Amino acid sequence: MRLLTHNMLSSNIKGVINGFPLGIVVEKVIEKPVEMNPDFLKNMFAKIEWKALVDASRSMGYTELPEQADSSMLDSVDFLQRFHHALLELHLEEGALVCPETGRKFPVNKGIPNMLLHEDEV
Amino acid sequence: MVKPSLFLWGVAEITAASRSPLSLSLISHRAPSERLLFWAPSKMSCRIAQIHKVSSHSEVYEPCDDSFALVDALLADRTNLLEHKPTLCLELGCGSGYVITSLALMLGELPGVHYIATDVNLHAVRVTRETLQAHNVHADVIATDLASGLDSRLAGLVDVIVVNPPYVPTPDDEVGQEGITSAWAGGVDGRAVIDRILPVVDKLLSDRGWFYMVTLTSNNPLQICRQMKAGGYASRIVVQRSTEEESLHIIKFWRDSGDPMCKKETATLKKTSSGKVMDSVLSQIHRLPFWKKVESND
Protein backbone atom coordinates (compact mmCIF):
# COMPACT_ATOMS: atom_id res chain seq x y z
CA MET A 1 0.00 0.00 0.00
CA ARG A 2 1.30 3.40 -1.03
CA LEU A 3 1.08 6.40 1.25
CA LEU A 4 -1.25 8.06 -1.24
CA THR A 5 -3.80 5.41 -0.32
CA HIS A 6 -2.93 5.70 3.38
CA ASN A 7 -3.72 9.41 3.04
CA MET A 8 -7.19 8.50 1.75
CA LEU A 9 -7.97 5.82 4.34
CA SER A 10 -9.75 6.32 7.68
CA SER A 11 -10.82 4.03 10.48
CA ASN A 12 -14.26 2.76 9.55
CA ILE A 13 -15.31 1.45 12.96
CA LYS A 14 -18.84 2.45 13.88
CA GLY A 15 -18.93 5.38 16.28
CA VAL A 16 -15.36 6.52 15.60
CA ILE A 17 -15.36 10.27 14.88
CA ASN A 18 -11.69 11.05 14.36
CA GLY A 19 -10.57 8.06 12.35
CA PHE A 20 -7.87 9.88 10.36
CA PRO A 21 -4.99 9.50 9.95
CA LEU A 22 -4.36 5.87 10.73
CA GLY A 23 -1.15 5.18 12.62
CA ILE A 24 1.36 2.86 10.98
CA VAL A 25 3.10 -0.10 12.55
CA VAL A 26 5.92 -1.13 10.25
CA GLU A 27 7.21 -4.65 9.88
CA LYS A 28 8.37 -4.36 6.29
CA VAL A 29 8.60 -1.45 3.88
CA ILE A 30 9.57 -1.87 0.25
CA GLU A 31 10.49 0.79 -2.28
CA LYS A 32 9.35 0.51 -5.87
CA PRO A 33 10.69 3.24 -8.17
CA VAL A 34 8.11 4.72 -10.53
CA GLU A 35 8.44 7.52 -13.02
CA MET A 36 7.66 10.93 -11.56
CA ASN A 37 4.71 12.80 -13.01
CA PRO A 38 4.78 16.48 -11.93
CA ASP A 39 1.23 17.12 -13.14
CA PHE A 40 -0.11 14.28 -11.02
CA LEU A 41 1.74 15.59 -7.97
CA LYS A 42 0.53 19.15 -8.52
CA ASN A 43 -2.99 17.86 -8.96
CA MET A 44 -2.86 15.68 -5.86
CA PHE A 45 -1.09 18.19 -3.60
CA ALA A 46 -4.27 20.07 -2.70
CA LYS A 47 -6.00 16.81 -1.79
CA ILE A 48 -3.25 15.49 0.47
CA GLU A 49 -3.30 15.99 4.23
CA TRP A 50 0.32 17.07 4.48
CA LYS A 51 0.94 16.35 8.14
CA ALA A 52 -0.49 12.87 7.79
CA LEU A 53 1.89 12.23 4.87
CA VAL A 54 4.89 13.58 6.79
CA ASP A 55 4.11 11.43 9.84
CA ALA A 56 3.37 8.35 7.75
CA SER A 57 6.59 8.67 5.75
CA ARG A 58 8.56 9.06 9.00
CA SER A 59 6.94 5.87 10.33
CA MET A 60 8.20 4.24 7.15
CA GLY A 61 11.73 5.53 7.74
CA TYR A 62 11.71 8.45 5.28
CA THR A 63 12.45 11.79 6.95
CA GLU A 64 13.10 14.07 3.98
CA LEU A 65 9.69 15.75 3.77
CA PRO A 66 9.44 19.30 5.13
CA GLU A 67 7.15 19.75 8.15
CA GLN A 68 5.02 22.18 6.23
CA ALA A 69 4.39 22.66 2.58
CA ASP A 70 2.48 25.06 0.38
CA SER A 71 1.73 25.09 -3.30
CA SER A 72 4.57 27.47 -4.15
CA MET A 73 6.98 24.63 -3.33
CA LEU A 74 5.61 22.64 -6.27
CA ASP A 75 7.92 24.65 -8.53
CA SER A 76 10.92 23.00 -6.90
CA VAL A 77 12.07 19.78 -8.58
CA ASP A 78 13.77 18.76 -5.36
CA PHE A 79 10.51 19.11 -3.43
CA LEU A 80 8.56 17.24 -6.11
CA GLN A 81 11.03 14.35 -5.97
CA ARG A 82 10.66 14.02 -2.21
CA PHE A 83 6.87 14.33 -2.41
CA HIS A 84 6.82 11.75 -5.21
CA HIS A 85 9.01 9.33 -3.29
CA ALA A 86 6.92 9.55 -0.11
CA LEU A 87 3.58 9.41 -1.85
CA LEU A 88 4.13 6.75 -4.50
CA GLU A 89 7.36 4.81 -4.00
CA LEU A 90 7.15 3.68 -0.39
CA HIS A 91 4.96 0.64 0.14
CA LEU A 92 3.86 -0.72 3.49
CA GLU A 93 4.24 -4.43 2.76
CA GLU A 94 3.78 -5.93 6.23
CA GLY A 95 2.55 -4.30 9.41
CA ALA A 96 -0.65 -2.68 10.60
CA LEU A 97 -2.73 0.47 10.45
CA VAL A 98 -3.93 1.77 13.80
CA CYS A 99 -7.21 3.54 14.50
CA PRO A 100 -6.23 6.84 16.14
CA GLU A 101 -9.28 6.80 18.39
CA THR A 102 -9.59 3.21 19.54
CA GLY A 103 -6.11 1.79 18.92
CA ARG A 104 -7.65 -1.07 16.94
CA LYS A 105 -5.11 -2.54 14.55
CA PHE A 106 -5.94 -3.30 10.95
CA PRO A 107 -3.37 -5.82 9.73
CA VAL A 108 -1.46 -5.25 6.48
CA ASN A 109 -0.26 -8.43 4.80
CA LYS A 110 1.39 -8.63 1.40
CA GLY A 111 0.73 -4.94 1.02
CA ILE A 112 -3.03 -5.32 1.52
CA PRO A 113 -4.71 -3.54 4.46
CA ASN A 114 -7.52 -5.56 5.98
CA MET A 115 -10.20 -3.01 6.89
CA LEU A 116 -12.88 -5.67 7.39
CA LEU A 117 -14.73 -5.09 10.63
CA HIS A 118 -15.89 -7.51 13.31
CA GLU A 119 -19.63 -7.80 13.82
CA ASP A 120 -19.60 -5.54 16.88
CA GLU A 121 -17.75 -2.80 15.00
CA VAL A 122 -20.19 -2.38 12.11
CA MET B 1 -22.53 -14.81 -13.34
CA VAL B 2 -24.88 -17.69 -12.68
CA LYS B 3 -25.79 -18.53 -9.12
CA PRO B 4 -23.92 -21.83 -8.72
CA SER B 5 -20.21 -21.45 -9.36
CA LEU B 6 -20.26 -23.78 -12.31
CA PHE B 7 -18.00 -21.81 -14.59
CA LEU B 8 -15.27 -23.92 -16.03
CA TRP B 9 -12.06 -22.79 -17.60
CA GLY B 10 -13.35 -24.12 -20.90
CA VAL B 11 -16.24 -21.69 -20.86
CA ALA B 12 -14.01 -18.80 -20.00
CA GLU B 13 -11.56 -19.65 -22.72
CA ILE B 14 -14.17 -19.99 -25.40
CA THR B 15 -15.59 -16.65 -24.41
CA ALA B 16 -12.17 -15.11 -24.38
CA ALA B 17 -11.49 -16.42 -27.86
CA SER B 18 -14.78 -15.06 -29.12
CA ARG B 19 -13.73 -11.62 -27.97
CA SER B 20 -11.13 -11.19 -30.67
CA PRO B 21 -13.45 -10.06 -33.46
CA LEU B 22 -14.82 -7.29 -31.28
CA SER B 23 -11.36 -6.08 -30.41
CA LEU B 24 -10.40 -6.15 -34.07
CA SER B 25 -13.48 -4.30 -35.22
CA LEU B 26 -12.94 -1.66 -32.58
CA ILE B 27 -9.40 -1.03 -33.56
CA SER B 28 -10.32 -0.24 -37.13
CA HIS B 29 -12.14 2.81 -35.76
CA ARG B 30 -9.01 4.27 -34.29
CA ALA B 31 -6.38 6.61 -35.62
CA PRO B 32 -3.83 5.15 -38.08
CA SER B 33 -0.92 5.53 -35.68
CA GLU B 34 -2.78 3.60 -33.04
CA ARG B 35 -3.79 0.95 -35.51
CA LEU B 36 -0.13 0.32 -36.29
CA LEU B 37 0.59 -0.09 -32.62
CA PHE B 38 -2.21 -2.60 -32.32
CA TRP B 39 -0.75 -4.84 -34.96
CA ALA B 40 2.57 -5.01 -33.18
CA PRO B 41 2.28 -8.29 -31.28
CA SER B 42 3.79 -6.89 -28.08
CA LYS B 43 1.22 -4.12 -27.88
CA MET B 44 -1.60 -6.44 -28.78
CA SER B 45 -0.81 -8.78 -25.96
CA CYS B 46 -0.67 -6.09 -23.29
CA ARG B 47 -3.94 -4.34 -24.09
CA ILE B 48 -5.96 -6.28 -21.48
CA ALA B 49 -5.27 -8.90 -18.83
CA GLN B 50 -4.42 -12.34 -20.16
CA ILE B 51 -6.60 -15.14 -18.90
CA HIS B 52 -3.71 -17.51 -18.30
CA LYS B 53 -2.03 -14.91 -16.09
CA VAL B 54 -5.12 -14.28 -13.96
CA SER B 55 -4.59 -15.85 -10.57
CA SER B 56 -7.32 -18.01 -9.02
CA HIS B 57 -8.65 -19.51 -5.82
CA SER B 58 -11.60 -21.79 -5.16
CA GLU B 59 -13.34 -19.00 -3.22
CA VAL B 60 -12.77 -16.30 -5.86
CA TYR B 61 -15.00 -15.64 -8.85
CA GLU B 62 -13.16 -16.36 -12.08
CA PRO B 63 -13.44 -14.01 -15.05
CA CYS B 64 -16.54 -14.91 -17.03
CA ASP B 65 -19.03 -13.41 -19.49
CA ASP B 66 -19.86 -10.50 -17.22
CA SER B 67 -16.20 -9.68 -16.56
CA PHE B 68 -15.45 -9.87 -20.28
CA ALA B 69 -18.42 -7.66 -21.10
CA LEU B 70 -17.22 -5.03 -18.61
CA VAL B 71 -13.69 -5.08 -20.01
CA ASP B 72 -15.11 -4.88 -23.53
CA ALA B 73 -17.10 -1.83 -22.46
CA LEU B 74 -13.95 -0.18 -21.10
CA LEU B 75 -12.09 -1.14 -24.27
CA ALA B 76 -14.87 0.29 -26.41
CA ASP B 77 -14.59 3.51 -24.42
CA ARG B 78 -10.81 3.47 -24.22
CA THR B 79 -10.24 6.35 -26.63
CA ASN B 80 -12.56 8.50 -24.53
CA LEU B 81 -10.85 7.38 -21.34
CA LEU B 82 -7.43 8.28 -22.71
CA GLU B 83 -8.71 11.77 -23.57
CA HIS B 84 -10.44 11.99 -20.20
CA LYS B 85 -7.09 11.48 -18.40
CA PRO B 86 -8.39 10.12 -15.09
CA THR B 87 -6.20 10.62 -12.01
CA LEU B 88 -7.80 8.13 -9.63
CA CYS B 89 -9.54 4.94 -10.75
CA LEU B 90 -11.35 2.59 -8.38
CA GLU B 91 -12.86 -0.85 -8.69
CA LEU B 92 -15.34 -2.00 -6.05
CA GLY B 93 -15.42 -5.80 -5.79
CA CYS B 94 -12.27 -6.63 -7.77
CA GLY B 95 -12.57 -10.44 -7.48
CA SER B 96 -9.82 -12.04 -9.57
CA GLY B 97 -8.39 -8.64 -10.53
CA TYR B 98 -9.13 -9.22 -14.22
CA VAL B 99 -10.97 -5.92 -14.68
CA ILE B 100 -8.71 -3.53 -12.73
CA THR B 101 -5.65 -5.13 -14.33
CA SER B 102 -7.18 -4.72 -17.78
CA LEU B 103 -8.05 -1.09 -17.05
CA ALA B 104 -4.50 -0.37 -15.87
CA LEU B 105 -3.11 -2.04 -18.99
CA MET B 106 -5.38 -0.30 -21.47
CA LEU B 107 -4.63 3.09 -19.89
CA GLY B 108 -0.97 2.22 -19.46
CA GLU B 109 0.22 4.96 -21.77
CA LEU B 110 -1.34 7.62 -19.53
CA PRO B 111 1.12 8.95 -16.97
CA GLY B 112 0.10 9.49 -13.37
CA VAL B 113 -3.00 7.34 -12.97
CA HIS B 114 -3.48 5.76 -9.55
CA TYR B 115 -5.59 2.64 -9.17
CA ILE B 116 -7.35 1.34 -6.06
CA ALA B 117 -9.27 -1.93 -5.87
CA THR B 118 -11.36 -3.29 -3.02
CA ASP B 119 -13.09 -6.55 -2.22
CA VAL B 120 -14.85 -7.88 0.84
CA ASN B 121 -13.34 -11.31 0.20
CA LEU B 122 -9.82 -11.74 1.64
CA HIS B 123 -8.98 -14.42 -0.91
CA ALA B 124 -10.05 -12.10 -3.71
CA VAL B 125 -7.77 -9.22 -2.70
CA ARG B 126 -4.80 -11.59 -2.60
CA VAL B 127 -5.70 -13.05 -5.98
CA THR B 128 -6.12 -9.54 -7.39
CA ARG B 129 -2.67 -8.58 -6.19
CA GLU B 130 -1.20 -11.67 -7.85
CA THR B 131 -3.01 -10.90 -11.11
CA LEU B 132 -1.74 -7.31 -11.06
CA GLN B 133 1.80 -8.46 -10.37
CA ALA B 134 1.66 -11.06 -13.14
CA HIS B 135 0.89 -8.23 -15.57
CA ASN B 136 3.43 -5.85 -14.05
CA VAL B 137 0.90 -3.16 -13.17
CA HIS B 138 0.06 -1.69 -9.78
CA ALA B 139 -3.11 -0.95 -7.88
CA ASP B 140 -3.41 -0.49 -4.15
CA VAL B 141 -5.68 -3.31 -3.02
CA ILE B 142 -7.76 -3.05 0.14
CA ALA B 143 -9.89 -5.64 1.90
CA THR B 144 -13.02 -3.74 2.80
CA ASP B 145 -16.76 -3.63 2.27
CA LEU B 146 -17.24 -1.54 -0.89
CA ALA B 147 -15.39 1.71 -0.07
CA SER B 148 -15.68 1.56 3.71
CA GLY B 149 -12.79 3.58 5.17
CA LEU B 150 -12.19 5.41 1.89
CA ASP B 151 -15.47 7.23 1.48
CA SER B 152 -14.73 10.32 3.56
CA ARG B 153 -11.24 11.25 2.29
CA LEU B 154 -11.82 10.00 -1.23
CA ALA B 155 -15.17 11.77 -1.62
CA GLY B 156 -15.41 13.60 -4.93
CA LEU B 157 -11.93 12.55 -6.06
CA VAL B 158 -12.45 9.43 -8.15
CA ASP B 159 -12.54 9.92 -11.92
CA VAL B 160 -13.39 6.35 -12.93
CA ILE B 161 -15.29 3.74 -10.94
CA VAL B 162 -15.89 0.25 -12.30
CA VAL B 163 -18.17 -2.28 -10.66
CA ASN B 164 -19.25 -5.79 -11.56
CA PRO B 165 -21.64 -6.20 -8.64
CA PRO B 166 -23.17 -9.37 -7.23
CA TYR B 167 -26.28 -9.08 -9.38
CA VAL B 168 -27.83 -12.56 -9.27
CA PRO B 169 -31.31 -12.58 -7.70
CA THR B 170 -31.20 -14.68 -4.52
CA PRO B 171 -33.00 -14.78 -1.19
CA ASP B 172 -31.83 -11.82 0.89
CA ASP B 173 -30.26 -14.06 3.52
CA GLU B 174 -27.65 -15.20 0.98
CA VAL B 175 -26.31 -11.66 0.71
CA GLY B 176 -23.29 -10.77 2.80
CA GLN B 177 -21.95 -14.29 3.17
CA GLU B 178 -18.26 -14.96 3.00
CA GLY B 179 -16.20 -16.29 0.12
CA ILE B 180 -17.34 -16.67 -3.45
CA THR B 181 -21.01 -16.25 -2.51
CA SER B 182 -20.27 -12.54 -2.06
CA ALA B 183 -19.39 -12.39 -5.75
CA TRP B 184 -22.87 -13.23 -6.99
CA ALA B 185 -25.56 -13.18 -4.27
CA GLY B 186 -27.58 -10.05 -4.97
CA GLY B 187 -30.74 -10.51 -2.92
CA VAL B 188 -34.21 -9.72 -4.25
CA ASP B 189 -33.97 -8.76 -7.95
CA GLY B 190 -30.18 -8.85 -7.46
CA ARG B 191 -30.41 -5.31 -6.16
CA ALA B 192 -29.36 -5.62 -2.51
CA VAL B 193 -25.70 -4.75 -3.08
CA ILE B 194 -26.28 -2.56 -6.17
CA ASP B 195 -28.55 -0.35 -4.08
CA ARG B 196 -25.78 0.03 -1.51
CA ILE B 197 -23.21 0.75 -4.24
CA LEU B 198 -25.06 3.64 -5.94
CA PRO B 199 -24.86 6.14 -3.03
CA VAL B 200 -21.22 5.19 -2.42
CA VAL B 201 -20.42 5.91 -6.06
CA ASP B 202 -22.32 9.19 -5.90
CA LYS B 203 -20.16 10.23 -2.96
CA LEU B 204 -16.82 9.18 -4.43
CA LEU B 205 -17.19 10.22 -8.06
CA SER B 206 -15.53 13.50 -9.06
CA ASP B 207 -17.53 16.12 -10.96
CA ARG B 208 -16.10 14.77 -14.19
CA GLY B 209 -16.21 11.16 -13.02
CA TRP B 210 -17.39 8.20 -15.05
CA PHE B 211 -18.98 5.10 -13.54
CA TYR B 212 -19.30 1.77 -15.35
CA MET B 213 -21.48 -1.00 -13.94
CA VAL B 214 -22.63 -4.44 -15.05
CA THR B 215 -26.35 -5.09 -14.71
CA LEU B 216 -28.62 -8.00 -15.42
CA THR B 217 -32.08 -7.52 -16.92
CA SER B 218 -33.58 -8.79 -13.65
CA ASN B 219 -31.90 -5.89 -11.83
CA ASN B 220 -34.23 -3.52 -13.69
CA PRO B 221 -31.49 -1.37 -15.24
CA LEU B 222 -34.13 1.05 -16.51
CA GLN B 223 -35.13 1.80 -12.94
CA ILE B 224 -31.45 2.15 -11.96
CA CYS B 225 -30.94 4.68 -14.76
CA ARG B 226 -34.07 6.61 -13.69
CA GLN B 227 -32.89 6.63 -10.11
CA MET B 228 -29.45 7.88 -11.14
CA LYS B 229 -31.06 10.46 -13.43
CA ALA B 230 -32.96 11.82 -10.45
CA GLY B 231 -29.55 12.22 -8.80
CA GLY B 232 -28.26 14.21 -11.79
CA TYR B 233 -26.62 11.45 -13.81
CA ALA B 234 -26.88 10.78 -17.49
CA SER B 235 -26.31 7.23 -18.70
CA ARG B 236 -25.78 5.11 -21.73
CA ILE B 237 -25.36 1.46 -22.45
CA VAL B 238 -21.84 0.76 -23.65
CA VAL B 239 -22.20 -2.98 -24.20
CA GLN B 240 -25.27 -5.16 -24.37
CA ARG B 241 -24.74 -8.88 -24.42
CA SER B 242 -26.95 -11.91 -24.16
CA THR B 243 -25.71 -15.35 -23.30
CA GLU B 244 -27.65 -18.56 -22.81
CA GLU B 245 -27.96 -17.81 -19.12
CA GLU B 246 -28.38 -14.07 -18.89
CA SER B 247 -28.75 -10.73 -20.61
CA LEU B 248 -26.18 -8.17 -19.52
CA HIS B 249 -25.96 -4.41 -19.92
CA ILE B 250 -22.81 -2.47 -19.13
CA ILE B 251 -24.04 1.00 -18.28
CA LYS B 252 -21.92 4.12 -18.07
CA PHE B 253 -23.03 6.99 -15.82
CA TRP B 254 -21.70 10.53 -15.62
CA ARG B 255 -22.84 13.75 -14.00
CA ASP B 256 -25.04 15.54 -16.47
CA SER B 257 -23.58 18.98 -15.80
CA GLY B 258 -23.03 20.03 -19.38
CA ASP B 259 -19.24 20.07 -19.24
CA PRO B 260 -17.38 19.41 -22.50
CA MET B 261 -16.72 15.76 -21.76
CA CYS B 262 -20.42 15.24 -21.09
CA LYS B 263 -21.22 16.76 -24.43
CA LYS B 264 -18.66 14.47 -25.95
CA GLU B 265 -20.40 11.60 -24.22
CA THR B 266 -23.58 12.54 -26.00
CA ALA B 267 -21.79 12.71 -29.33
CA THR B 268 -20.22 9.29 -29.07
CA LEU B 269 -23.33 7.30 -28.32
CA LYS B 270 -23.43 3.96 -29.91
CA LYS B 271 -26.50 3.10 -31.87
CA THR B 272 -27.59 -0.25 -30.65
CA SER B 273 -30.37 -2.62 -31.46
CA SER B 274 -33.71 -2.07 -29.85
CA GLY B 275 -34.62 -3.17 -26.39
CA LYS B 276 -36.84 -1.70 -23.77
CA VAL B 277 -34.01 -0.50 -21.60
CA MET B 278 -31.92 0.80 -24.45
CA ASP B 279 -34.75 2.77 -25.98
CA SER B 280 -35.68 4.26 -22.70
CA VAL B 281 -32.17 5.28 -21.76
CA LEU B 282 -31.50 6.75 -25.15
CA SER B 283 -34.78 8.60 -25.26
CA GLN B 284 -33.56 10.65 -22.33
CA ILE B 285 -30.55 12.04 -24.12
CA HIS B 286 -29.74 13.41 -27.51
CA ARG B 287 -27.77 10.95 -29.60
CA LEU B 288 -25.83 10.49 -32.75
CA PRO B 289 -25.30 7.18 -34.48
CA PHE B 290 -22.09 5.35 -33.74
CA TRP B 291 -20.91 5.47 -37.36
CA LYS B 292 -20.47 9.22 -37.11
CA LYS B 293 -17.89 8.68 -34.42
CA VAL B 294 -16.15 6.15 -36.62
CA GLU B 295 -16.02 8.58 -39.52
CA SER B 296 -14.71 11.41 -37.42
CA ASN B 297 -11.98 9.28 -35.92
CA ASP B 298 -10.82 7.87 -39.18
Side-chain angles (χ1 to χ4, degrees):
Chain A
M1 182 197 64
R2 296 169 169 180
L3 292 188
L4 171 58
T5 298
H6 169 266
N7 211 273
M8 297 298 155
L9 205 52
S10 311
S11 171
N12 51 352
I13 301 169
K14 188 183 180 186
V16 166
I17 297 163
N18 298 308
F20 180 87
L22 294 160
I24 298 180
V25 176
V26 174
E27 286 174 30
K28 185 182 175 190
V29 172
I30 54 172
E31 292 185 21
K32 292 185 199 167
V34 286
E35 198 175 329
M36 186 170 85
N37 184 272
D39 289 339
F40 176 80
L41 295 171
K42 288 170 186 172
N43 185 22
M44 283 311 298
F45 179 76
K47 297 156 188 170
I48 293 296
E49 287 280 345
W50 189 257
K51 187 176 183 322
L53 180 64
V54 172
D55 292 345
S57 61
R58 282 189 183 156
S59 309
M60 306 265 276
Y62 183 69
T63 56
E64 303 297 313
L65 284 184
E67 283 284 344
Q68 280 165 3
D70 61 71
S71 54
S72 69
M73 296 164 91
L74 293 167
D75 294 331
S76 156
V77 174
D78 178 60
F79 173 77
L80 284 180
Q81 281 171 344
R82 292 169 195 226
F83 181 29
H84 168 76
H85 182 69
L87 196 68
L88 299 173
E89 293 188 324
L90 297 174
H91 294 247
L92 181 62
E93 188 70 2
E94 299 290 336
L97 302 175
V98 187
C99 170
E101 202 167 292
T102 65
R104 201 277 216 189
K105 285 185 181 172
F106 299 94
V108 177
N109 298 120
K110 294 186 175 175
I112 304 170
N114 178 353
M115 303 300 293
L116 297 173
L117 299 173
H118 307 306
E119 273 184 22
D120 58 354
E121 296 173 324
V122 182
Chain B
M1 199 186 290
V2 173
K3 184 176 168 181
S5 53
L6 288 177
F7 292 110
L8 305 174
W9 277 109
V11 175
E13 280 165 9
I14 290 163
T15 315
S18 70
R19 295 158 38 74
S20 305
L22 174 60
S23 304
L24 288 169
S25 66
L26 282 169
I27 209 67
S28 66
H29 301 155
R30 296 211 175 98
S33 58
E34 206 174 337
R35 198 179 300 162
L36 286 173
L37 285 177
F38 178 79
W39 291 114
S42 60
K43 288 286 178 186
M44 185 173 162
S45 62
C46 65
R47 176 62 59 79
I48 60 170
Q50 297 169 63
I51 287 296
H52 69 276
K53 285 191 186 174
V54 174
S55 188
S56 63
H57 184 281
S58 59
E59 284 296 326
V60 178
Y61 186 73
E62 289 179 358
C64 203
D65 291 349
D66 45 343
S67 330
F68 299 140
L70 178 53
V71 168
D72 279 345
L74 295 170
L75 210 49
D77 217 28
R78 177 173 172 265
T79 308
N80 293 331
L81 282 162
L82 289 173
E83 283 178 28
H84 196 53
K85 294 189 175 63
T87 298
L88 288 174
C89 300
L90 172 70
E91 181 178 18
L92 302 176
C94 51
S96 67
Y98 175 77
V99 175
I100 192 73
T101 301
S102 295
L103 183 65
L105 288 168
M106 73 178 77
L107 302 184
E109 67 199 61
L110 279 182
V113 192
H114 186 71
Y115 300 90
I116 301 175
T118 72
D119 204 294
V120 74
N121 176 350
L122 276 174
H123 302 295
V125 289
R126 285 175 198 138
V127 166
T128 289
R129 181 178 149 116
E130 288 163 9
T131 299
L132 287 158
Q133 282 180 331
H135 292 84
N136 203 24
V137 288
H138 182 84
D140 276 347
V141 186
I142 303 170
T144 195
D145 177 31
L146 301 182
S148 177
L150 289 166
D151 43 357
S152 64
R153 287 277 298 139
L154 214 51
L157 295 186
V158 186
D159 296 323
V160 172
I161 299 179
V162 295
V163 186
N164 182 5
Y167 56 64
V168 179
T170 65
D172 270 341
D173 58 9
E174 290 186 22
V175 179
Q177 293 185 11
E178 291 187 354
I180 196 166
T181 310
S182 68
W184 49 260
V188 174
D189 296 334
R191 286 286 295 270
V193 183
I194 289 174
D195 287 342
R196 286 208 300 127
I197 287 170
L198 299 180
V200 172
V201 166
D202 182 46
K203 188 171 181 187
L204 296 179
L205 213 56
S206 68
D207 288 342
R208 64 189 199 100
W210 291 352
F211 165 46
Y212 301 83
M213 184 170 71
V214 180
T215 63
L216 187 69
T217 308
S218 322
N219 304 147
N220 197 351
L222 166 59
Q223 195 277 330
I224 293 175
C225 290
R226 278 192 187 135
Q227 189 181 323
M228 291 294 280
K229 188 173 191 288
Y233 288 85
S235 56
R236 72 174 168 99
I237 291 166
V238 187
V239 164
Q240 182 172 14
R241 187 163 299 167
S242 294
T243 66
E244 282 184 16
E245 292 98 1
E246 54 194 12
S247 176
L248 300 168
H249 297 89
I250 316 302
I251 309 178
K252 175 179 178 179
F253 299 91
W254 65 96
R255 286 203 167 89
D256 196 9
S257 57
D259 80 30
M261 285 312 286
C262 293
K263 292 199 176 80
K264 180 177 175 49
E265 250 315 313
T266 316
T268 55
L269 277 176
K270 181 175 179 178
K271 189 176 184 183
T272 318
S273 58
S274 65
K276 189 177 163 192
V277 175
M278 193 66 203
D279 287 342
S280 171
V281 171
L282 291 184
S283 68
Q284 294 167 6
I285 35 184
H286 174 71
R287 67 180 193 261
L288 288 171
F290 185 56
W291 54 265
K292 287 199 175 172
K293 178 197 169 202
V294 175
E295 272 186 350
S296 66
N297 276 6
D298 275 357

